C-alpha cells in the first residue's frame, strides 16, 4: 500500500458513504483512478466491509459490557456455532491468558444482561466488566510506524 491508498482509507474510515466523485476531489485523482484503487483495496482484503456506526443506547441496547469466558474443551463457548447469532453478542475474540474468549455484548436492560450471563454459565465461568463510557471508539487504522 502506498501513501495515496492510506489517504483513501483515512477518508473512507471517516465516512464510508463518500462517492467516488467526492473521494476524487479530496485526494486529487480522477474518479476512475479512485474507483480502481478502492476496488484493489477491497479485492486484496484490506477493506472488508462498509458499516453504519450505531449508537447502542439509542438503538435500545444501553447496557454494554465485556465478558471474559474461562472455558476449554468440548463445552467451550467458542465451539457453539449459535453464539454469533445471539443478538446481544457484538464481538467475539479468542484470547490468551486465563480466559479463552472475550465477548463484547450490548443488552437492553440489566435483567436482560443477567439473563445473558445465565445463558453463558453452562459454557464455563463468565466474568463481566461493565462499560461506563467510551472515550475512544472506532479509531481509524493508520500506516504502521506513524
Amino acid at each position: 500500500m502506498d501513501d495515496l491508498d492510506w489517504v483513501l482509507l483515512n477518508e473512507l474510515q471517516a465516512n464510508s458513504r463518500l462517492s467516488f466523485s467526492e473521494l476524487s476531489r479530496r485526494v486529487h485523482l480522477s474518479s476512475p483512478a479512485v474507483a480502481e484503487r478502492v476496488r484493489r483495496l477491497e479485492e486484496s482484503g484490506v477493506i472488508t466491509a462498509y458499516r453504519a456506526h450505531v449508537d447502542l443506547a439509542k438503538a435500545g441496547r444501553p447496557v454494554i459490557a465485556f465478558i471474559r469466558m474461562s472455558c476449554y474443551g468440548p463445552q467451550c463457548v467458542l465451539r457453539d456455532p449459535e453464539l454469533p447469532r445471539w443478538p446481544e453478542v457484538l464481538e467475539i475474540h479468542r484470547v490468551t491468558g486465563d480466559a479463552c474468549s472475550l465477548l463484547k455484548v450490548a443488552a437492553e436492560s440489566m435483567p436482560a444482561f443477567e439473563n445473558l450471563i445465565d445463558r453463558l454459565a453452562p459454557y464455563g465461568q463468565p466474568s463481566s466488566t461493565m462499560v461506563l463510557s467510551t472515550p475512544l471508539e472506532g479509531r481509524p487504522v493508520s500506516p504502521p510506524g506513524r
Side-chain angles (χ1 to χ4, degrees), residues 7 11 14-15 18 21-29:
V7 171
E11 293 291 340
N15 182 355
L18 289 174
S21 173
E22 179 59 21
L23 272 173
S24 69
R25 187 186 68 71
R26 292 183 184 199
V27 301
H28 311 291
L29 273 182

Side-chain angles (χ1 to χ4, degrees), residues 1-60:
M1 288 182 37
D2 63 18
D3 288 343
L4 191 51
D5 288 334
W6 281 106
V7 171
L8 285 168
L9 278 177
N10 189 52
E11 293 291 340
L12 288 170
Q13 287 178 97
N15 182 355
S16 64
R17 295 187 65 179
L18 289 174
S19 66
F20 289 142
S21 173
E22 179 59 21
L23 272 173
S24 69
R25 187 186 68 71
R26 292 183 184 199
V27 301
H28 311 291
L29 273 182
S30 69
S31 287
V34 165
E36 176 60 22
R37 281 181 172 266
V38 170
R39 183 190 60 74
R40 277 191 278 131
L41 290 168
E42 292 168 342
E43 287 178 353
S44 68
V46 173
I47 296 174
T48 59
Y50 297 91
R51 294 185 175 102
H53 180 78
V54 176
D55 182 312
L56 292 168
K58 290 180 180 174

Side-chain angles (χ1 to χ4, degrees), residues 49-126:
Y50 297 91
R51 294 185 175 102
H53 180 78
V54 176
D55 182 312
L56 292 168
K58 290 180 180 174
R61 294 192 180 273
V63 179
I64 304 162
F66 289 93
I67 302 173
R68 290 180 18 186
M69 290 297 298
S70 296
C71 55
Y72 299 95
Q75 290 299 104
C76 181
V77 71
L78 292 172
R79 296 181 186 269
D80 187 339
E82 292 301 314
L83 184 70
R85 295 184 190 95
W86 293 12
E88 304 90 351
V89 177
L90 303 178
E91 298 176 9
I92 304 170
H93 303 274
R94 186 175 181 189
V95 298
T96 63
D98 61 349
C100 69
S101 58
L102 181 67
L103 313 177
K104 181 178 179 183
V105 301
E108 62 190 53
S109 65
M110 286 306 289
F113 179 74
E114 185 177 0
N115 178 272
L116 175 62
I117 293 294
D118 290 345
R119 287 174 27 222
L120 287 168
Y123 296 98
Q125 182 177 351

